[in-house]
């Protein structure tokens, strides 16, 4: 059954959505149950599943998650290999800050028929890497350069071009475990220029940071390492 996740995000424009990112390779089952229990009791709106490099069986991992939560589950794939028809939706990422055709269209072609057959909801998303004080896994794995964090006009123009190409969301990514999250000023300018929902993630660890990112205009904030290292953070948000 289609959950219409995108429609829900668009129609709840003023709602602050928290997305909990679970990297299949980093979970053990006891901890997973505990984190999902906290997520069920907190204000988490969605579960994202993916990572730059995943060696775990994604189908199996999603099945385990679904045993413990009814939250919508969205794939956040690092490559075409990270596909599962057990998910509710997929962020079909186009890495528009980079110039590597494999991450702009190549992986998409590889998985297009499987996606169509699966019937899961597809959310075409413009993915922008923002420099964050160190090189990130996604930067290395995608063989692309991030946008310098002080070049906020380039980030805004890139996001706007993504919207003009018909993408449905923009994701500003500092990288998993980033030293610095996406700068507030950059989020503000991107938000001013686009009219589609904005996702921000990477390096967010505190309630103050999360609130500041929402206040700058994010519709969805993604938390991965922040929760892995401190699941109790879910109780505070
Ligand atoms: C990474 O944006 C996500 O792709 C989340 O990053 O793990 O640093 O929260 P963190």
């Amino acid at each position: 059954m289609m959950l219409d996740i995108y429609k829900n995000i668009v129609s709840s424009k003023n709602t602050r959505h928290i997305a909990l990112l679970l990297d299949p390779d980093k979970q053990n089952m006891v901890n997973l149950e505990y984190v999902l229990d906290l997520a069920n009791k907190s204000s988490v709106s969605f579960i994202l599943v993916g990572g730059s490099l995943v060696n775990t069986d994604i189908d199996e991992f999603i099945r385990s998650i679904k045993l413990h939560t009814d939250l919508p589950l969205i794939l956040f794939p690092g490559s075409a290999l990270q596909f599962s028809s057990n998910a509710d939706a997929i962020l079909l990422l186009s890495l528009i800050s980079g110039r590597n055709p494999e991450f702009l269209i190549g992986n998409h072609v590889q998985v297009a028929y499987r996606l169509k057959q699966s019937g899961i909801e597809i959310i075409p998303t413009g993915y922008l890497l923002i420099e964050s004080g160190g090189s990130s896994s996604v930067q290395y794995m995608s063989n692309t350069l991030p946008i310098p964090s002080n070049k906020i006009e380039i980030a805004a123009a890139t996001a706007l071009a993504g919207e003009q190409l018909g993408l449905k969301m923009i994701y500003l990514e500092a990288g998993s475990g980033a030293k610095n999250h996406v700068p507030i000023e950059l989020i503000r300018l991107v938000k001013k220029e686009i009219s589609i929902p904005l996702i921000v993630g990477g390096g967010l660890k505190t309630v103050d940071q999360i609130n500041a990112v929402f206040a700058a205009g994010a519709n969805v904030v993604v938390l991965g390492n922040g929760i892995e290292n401190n699941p109790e953070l879910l109780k505070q948000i």
Side-chain angles (χ1 to χ4, degrees):
M1 185 193 53
M2 236 350 155
L3 295 177
D4 270 337
I5 294 169
Y6 181 69
K7 216 189 255 174
N8 177 272
I9 296 172
V10 173
S11 64
S12 57
K13 256 197 168 160
N14 299 322
T15 307
R16 297 174 161 198
H17 294 286
I18 297 281
L20 171 63
L21 172 63
L22 298 172
D23 180 335
D25 281 2
K26 291 195 195 158
Q27 311 300 324
N28 70 62
M29 285 308 149
V30 178
N31 196 45
L32 184 68
E33 268 191 61
Y34 177 63
V35 168
L36 289 173
D37 184 47
L38 288 177
N40 290 333
K41 293 176 186 149
S42 71
S43 51
V44 170
S45 301
F46 324 102
I47 306 286
L48 294 187
V49 170
S52 293
L53 177 70
V54 170
N55 296 308
T56 306
D57 181 328
I58 292 243
D59 282 321
E60 198 50 47
F61 182 63
I62 291 178
R63 253 179 247 126
S64 318
I65 294 175
K66 287 190 170 264
L67 288 178
H68 303 290
T69 185
D70 291 327
L71 286 166
L73 196 149
I74 309 176
L75 292 172
F76 172 53
S79 77
L81 296 173
Q82 295 174 33
F83 175 71
S84 167
S85 49
N86 293 333
D88 299 302
I90 181 170
L91 293 185
L92 191 61
L93 303 172
S94 192
L95 182 46
I96 57 175
S97 59
R99 299 294 179 267
N100 180 346
E102 282 311 309
F103 289 84
L104 286 163
I105 180 67
N107 277 274
H108 315 67
V109 174
Q110 286 184 39
V111 82
Y113 272 102
R114 287 178 66 200
L115 256 182
K116 187 176 178 184
Q117 279 153 15
S118 74
I120 71 172
E121 182 179 350
I122 299 171
I123 308 175
T125 302
Y127 193 44
L128 279 72
L129 302 188
I130 309 296
E131 187 270 320
S132 60
S135 73
S136 63
S137 309
V138 57
Q139 176 184 343
Y140 179 78
M141 295 300 280
S142 66
N143 198 13
T144 65
L145 282 178
I147 296 174
S149 56
N150 60 344
K151 305 290 184 198
I152 64 175
E153 291 83 7
I154 295 180
T158 307
L160 185 58
E163 176 171 355
Q164 290 166 344
L165 279 167
L167 297 169
K168 298 286 186 223
M169 302 222 270
I170 293 295
Y171 190 139
L172 298 175
E173 172 71 276
S176 185
K179 187 166 151 222
N180 306 314
H181 62 76
V182 177
I184 295 300
E185 231 189 311
L186 189 153
I187 300 171
R188 255 195 228 118
L189 186 63
V190 167
K191 183 66 181 181
K192 187 167 157 267
E193 297 301 342
I194 61 170
S195 58
I196 51 179
L198 181 61
I199 311 177
V200 179
L204 296 164
K205 301 182 267 298
T206 68
V207 173
D208 286 350
Q209 289 172 339
I210 295 164
N211 283 337
V213 166
F214 274 128
N219 301 92
V220 181
V221 163
V222 181
L223 301 175
N225 279 270
I227 304 296
E228 261 160 46
N229 299 330
N230 174 24
E232 309 296 312
L233 181 60
L234 283 172
K235 292 183 184 166
Q236 299 162 32
I237 45 183

